[in-house]
Amino acid sequence: MTLTTTSGSRAALVAAAVAITAGAVVLAPAAADAATTLGASAAQSGRYFGTAVSAGKLSDSTYVNILNREFDMVTAENEMKMDATEPNPGQFSYGNADRIVNHAVARGMRVRGHALAWHQQQPGWMQSMEGSALRQAMLNHVTQVATHYRGKIYAWDVVNEAFADGSSGARRDSNLQRTGNDWIEAAFRAARAADPGAKLCYNDYNTDDWSHAKTQAVYRMVQDFKARGVPIDCVGLQSHFNAASPVPGNYQTTLQNFADLGVDVQITELDIEGSGSAQADAFGRVTRACLAVTRCTGITVWGIRDTDSWRASGTPLLFDGSGNKKAAYTSVLDALNGGGTTPPDESDGCTVAASVNAWNTGFVATVRVTAGSAAINAWTVTFALPTGTTVTGTWNAERSGDSGTVQWKNTTYNGNVAAGQSVEFGFQGTGSSAGLSPTCVSS
Ligand code: 9MR
């Protein structure tokens, strides 16, 4: 079987006999029709625009005015977490969370639930638990809280931040993880049983860059859940960005690759430290990346004014401390209204396409790297290979690894590629070539 695909972005999806979801076509409304709020402009393409909300600020009129005017989705910033909702074992406390939900529902806004199970912000009594008693307490918590809010939640962050940072690709060590590797799927099954109408999401940070081990690890878990019928509907990318962790050039690729697993993708806690046009450009890029991915269903920013932020000194939000719209706000609004330009680093750089000749025990892949609108000097192509697949040979590239996440870099003679031109390399492998989704990064 030979199958070739290309994509218009840095990555191409290559799949043998697997349907490929195309990117969304975003129709730009005529200028006269452009919506004037974040929620209304997102709604033009069927998406939502949300914010984290603190119950304690619902008496602040500036805050509430912006909330009611701009947003059509809310997330309780802290009020639905385990410590807030179950301060004592089996004794549930919903006062502050209910205030947020009631505020939203009364105004036709929807609610993202955050979060049913997490290693942080556990109540004291749970922090000291381990083993089967903790597993039972966690499942009871998921069941009780999801049942209390049954029918009122658009999407639940069922499990939050369960993977380790760094290059291990491992689960994060925690008391919940030590109850057994199946704790995440157990939480999802309990949530589905309690509220069958809510979308069930896995939510994490540092999962924005497609080449990061943590991103790959979450991708594999979602792929595995879908394959085994574990109920999962969405992946939340928190997307907390700053100078040390900027919006990656392959962000749209990451969104698309998760979406291609058959889940919705949501940007769940967006904030970008900075100011002025640099910050505005970054917010615009994130917004356009979501708009370009059909199953990226909405964006939530992690607070309203800079002064409401968990990292206020980085001024990472869309409104200043006085509630004025920042350049970042205008950039997001323009993007939602179909304006703005393609992010430069999505049209520069490289794209990758592969054709696969497969037989029952192995395959040969011929991989084509194409430079974008500018020449490139070096390229790296990453494949996340299926479990059990091993690379046995490579030509015209330098390879690291032979299974799992494998990278091919240019050799001394094929790193320089003129704008719009291509080079080819190839590899041979044993095992399955199904579902391959290579990405390309260049410099
Ligand atoms: O913004 C939240 C802050 O008020 C809390 O003190 C903090 C406690 O862990 O949690 C913050 O929200 C986090 C969210 O729940 C999960 N992703 C990271 C967010 C920022 O830390």
Side-chain angles (χ1 to χ4, degrees):
M1 167 174 34
T2 300
L3 184 142
T4 303
T5 62
T6 53
S7 87
S9 144
R10 284 179 149 190
L13 182 75
V14 178
V18 172
I20 294 161
T21 311
V25 176
V26 180
L27 299 175
D33 298 337
T36 57
T37 66
L38 298 169
S41 57
Q44 294 172 131
S45 67
R47 294 177 173 81
Y48 64 83
F49 207 97
T51 180
V53 168
S54 280
K57 291 178 181 154
L58 290 175
S59 53
D60 173 335
S61 61
T62 305
Y63 181 90
V64 171
N65 285 341
I66 301 172
L67 169 63
N68 293 351
R69 186 185 73 218
E70 298 286 345
F71 298 97
D72 58 5
M73 182 76 74
V74 301
T75 305
E77 187 171 359
N78 290 296
E79 293 80 348
M80 284 191 192
K81 293 173 182 175
M82 299 178 101
D83 57 351
T85 49
E86 196 178 356
N88 297 300
Q91 183 197 93
F92 291 83
S93 157
Y94 296 112
N96 284 331
D98 283 352
R99 288 176 59 204
I100 294 173
V101 172
N102 293 341
H103 183 99
V105 169
R107 289 161 183 81
M109 304 170 184
R110 291 180 291 172
V111 181
R112 293 194 79 263
H114 174 80
L116 292 172
W118 190 18
H119 68 284
Q120 274 186 23
Q121 284 181 279
Q122 292 180 3
W125 60 270
M126 189 181 279
Q127 291 172 25
S128 56
M129 290 180 82
E130 296 278 350
S132 59
L134 172 62
R135 172 68 70 95
Q136 202 45 49
M138 181 274 288
L139 292 176
N140 182 56
H141 180 88
V142 170
T143 300
Q144 295 296 327
V145 177
T147 299
H148 178 80
Y149 287 111
R150 182 184 176 117
K152 293 184 175 167
I153 302 293
Y154 164 71
W156 266 112
D157 291 332
V158 178
V159 169
N160 195 36
E161 302 178 1
F163 280 81
D165 293 310
S167 59
S168 71
R171 294 281 184 87
R172 176 194 297 280
D173 179 51
S174 72
N175 61 347
L176 290 168
Q177 179 62 30
R178 291 190 296 271
T179 69
N181 210 47
D182 63 342
W183 75 275
I184 298 180
E185 60 196 81
F188 274 80
R189 291 187 201 281
R192 179 68 98 224
D195 186 356
K199 289 182 184 286
L200 305 182
C201 302
Y202 176 78
N203 190 53
D204 215 327
Y205 66 92
N206 279 351
T207 48
D208 314 290
D209 188 322
W210 178 244
S211 66
H212 280 179
K214 188 170 169 181
T215 312
Q216 295 286 320
V218 173
Y219 178 86
R220 285 177 189 287
M221 180 187 74
V222 177
Q223 190 175 43
D224 171 56
F225 279 13
K226 293 298 285 184
R228 291 191 296 112
V230 177
I232 184 166
D233 307 302
C234 37
V235 173
L237 277 70
Q238 295 183 9
S239 302
H240 294 292
F241 297 117
N242 59 19
S245 177
V247 183
N250 57 22
Y251 187 65
Q252 184 181 318
T253 297
T254 305
L255 297 175
Q256 186 68 60
N257 285 343
F258 276 113
D260 287 342
L261 289 176
V263 289
D264 288 348
V265 181
Q266 301 170 3
I267 299 171
T268 53
E269 303 182 16
L270 179 63
D271 53 15
I272 308 176
E273 292 188 350
S275 62
S277 62
Q279 181 183 49
D281 287 351
F283 267 104
R285 284 189 46 214
V286 169
T287 307
R288 284 190 294 274
C290 180
L291 290 170
V293 174
T294 307
R295 291 196 73 160
C296 181
T297 56
I299 299 174
T300 295
V301 287
W302 205 238
I304 296 179
R305 300 162 300 195
D306 285 336
T307 44
D308 300 319
S309 171
W310 65 295
R311 43 183 195 178
S313 63
T315 61
L317 294 173
L318 302 180
F319 297 86
D320 70 18
S322 306
N324 299 310
K325 297 170 182 174
K326 295 166 56 181
Y329 171 94
T330 307
S331 177
V332 170
L333 188 74
D334 288 351
L336 292 171
N337 279 322
T341 52
T342 305
D345 55 359
E346 294 283 354
S347 59
D348 293 348
C350 50
T351 55
V352 57
S355 68
V356 177
N357 278 306
W359 55 94
N360 50 357
T361 56
F363 63 94
V364 167
T366 304
V367 187
R368 174 180 285 254
V369 176
T370 304
S373 54
I376 60 175
N377 303 316
W379 46 263
T380 302
V381 169
T382 304
F383 279 77
L385 297 175
T387 305
T389 294
T390 304
V391 179
T392 52
T394 289
W395 50 97
N396 290 343
E398 304 290 339
R399 170 165 56 93
S400 40
D402 58 13
S403 60
T405 301
V406 181
Q407 289 196 321
W408 284 264
K409 294 183 188 300
N410 61 275
T411 64
T412 50
Y413 56 82
N414 62 3
N416 290 320
V417 187
Q421 299 300 300
S422 300
V423 294
E424 276 189 356
F425 71 94
F427 63 94
Q428 182 163 4
T430 56
S432 169
S433 59
L436 297 180
S437 12
T439 60
C440 185
V441 175
S442 61
S443 57

